[in-house]
Amino acid sequence: MKDVPIRCECGKVRGVVRGMAPANTNRAICYCDDCQAFAHYLGQADEVLDQHGGTEVLQVAPGSVEFTDGAGHLACLQLTENGPYRWYADCCGTPIGNTPANWRISFVGLLRRCLDAGGGPSLESAAGPVKMRIFTEFATGDTATMTKGPGFTPGGMFRFGLSILGGMLTGRYRNTPFFEGNGQPVAAPYCVAGEERAKLAPYAQADG
Ligand SMILES: [Zn+2]
Ligand SMILES: [Zn+2]
């Protein structure tokens, strides 16, 4: 188990993921169009997306995340109504993570970007290898030779589901830096919609 620092690029937002281990972390790469749009919206496509438009996320229990500095800089947006909250540092646009809009479904997919910036232990040693590559149908560039699997694996999803269910049954979902005690997000979500969203969409269709 390792404590992994969280840091935005400019250093105003700092925090830590406590006790990260391969057994409690789902390390995945998501190629979906919304994850790509999020990086582009923040002007962080070069920093966040791999050569196929993938975003590396580390899904952990929100209770293991603590912000020690600059929590007031946390901002969030949504790319679809009822879609996940996508958290970032409004000081410099560093993406932080994604949470379901319903806090009872308690997990956060932290973007690798804010963990790399912290200069902590290697993610390989803290979280183990990438376990899933999902929504590869949205992958960009020459996808013929890219690694496309495994996708949602039954074992991984089962363990992940158990962790979320456990959070619901025990009330542990209330232990989160992303929501107030009444289940409202700590920052009002901004919905990127209409033309603003449409401008981000073509990035997802750049293949072909
Ligand atoms: Zn910052
Ligand atoms: Zn995604």
Side-chain angles (χ1 to χ4, degrees), residues 30-32 34-35 86 135:
C30 185
Y31 295 88
C32 85
D34 282 349
C35 283
R86 295 172 180 274
F135 297 111

Side-chain angles (χ1 to χ4, degrees), residues 8-182:
C8 70
E9 170 127 36
C10 80
K12 285 198 175 112
V13 177
R14 288 171 195 264
V16 64
V17 190
R18 296 200 196 282
M20 185 183 276
N24 61 23
T25 306
N26 190 22
R27 189 172 168 205
I29 299 180
C30 185
Y31 295 88
C32 85
D33 52 346
D34 282 349
C35 283
Q36 294 187 42
F38 181 44
H40 281 286
Y41 180 86
L42 297 174
Q44 295 262 325
D46 289 346
E47 291 81 0
V48 171
L49 302 179
D50 68 18
Q51 73 268 37
H52 296 299
T55 298
E56 185 172 332
V57 294
L58 292 96
Q59 296 173 326
V60 300
S64 65
V65 177
E66 186 193 341
F67 290 101
T68 51
D69 289 287
H73 283 292
L74 285 177
C76 89
L77 60 81
Q78 284 178 296
L79 290 163
T80 51
E81 207 184 334
N82 303 323
Y85 293 145
R86 295 172 180 274
W87 298 90
Y88 63 98
D90 70 3
C91 39
C92 56
T94 302
I96 303 290
N98 308 313
T99 62
N102 180 347
W103 72 328
R104 288 181 175 81
I105 304 167
S106 63
F107 71 91
V108 54
L110 294 168
L111 272 76
R112 178 182 185 143
R113 173 87 177 126
C114 72
L115 302 173
D116 276 346
S122 81
L123 294 184
E124 207 69 24
S125 71
V130 170
K131 293 189 188 105
M132 301 193 315
R133 291 167 204 272
I134 55 176
F135 297 111
T136 51
E137 63 269 33
F138 291 101
T140 60
D142 179 6
T143 58
T145 56
M146 72 177 277
T147 312
K148 293 199 175 113
F152 294 102
T153 59
M157 294 314 288
F158 180 69
R159 199 178 52 184
F160 193 54
L162 273 188
S163 155
I164 292 170
L165 186 65
M168 273 186 210
L169 295 177
T170 60
R172 200 167 58 227
Y173 64 86
R174 293 173 174 279
N175 182 12
T176 168
F178 300 100
F179 293 88
E180 311 277 9
N182 58 4

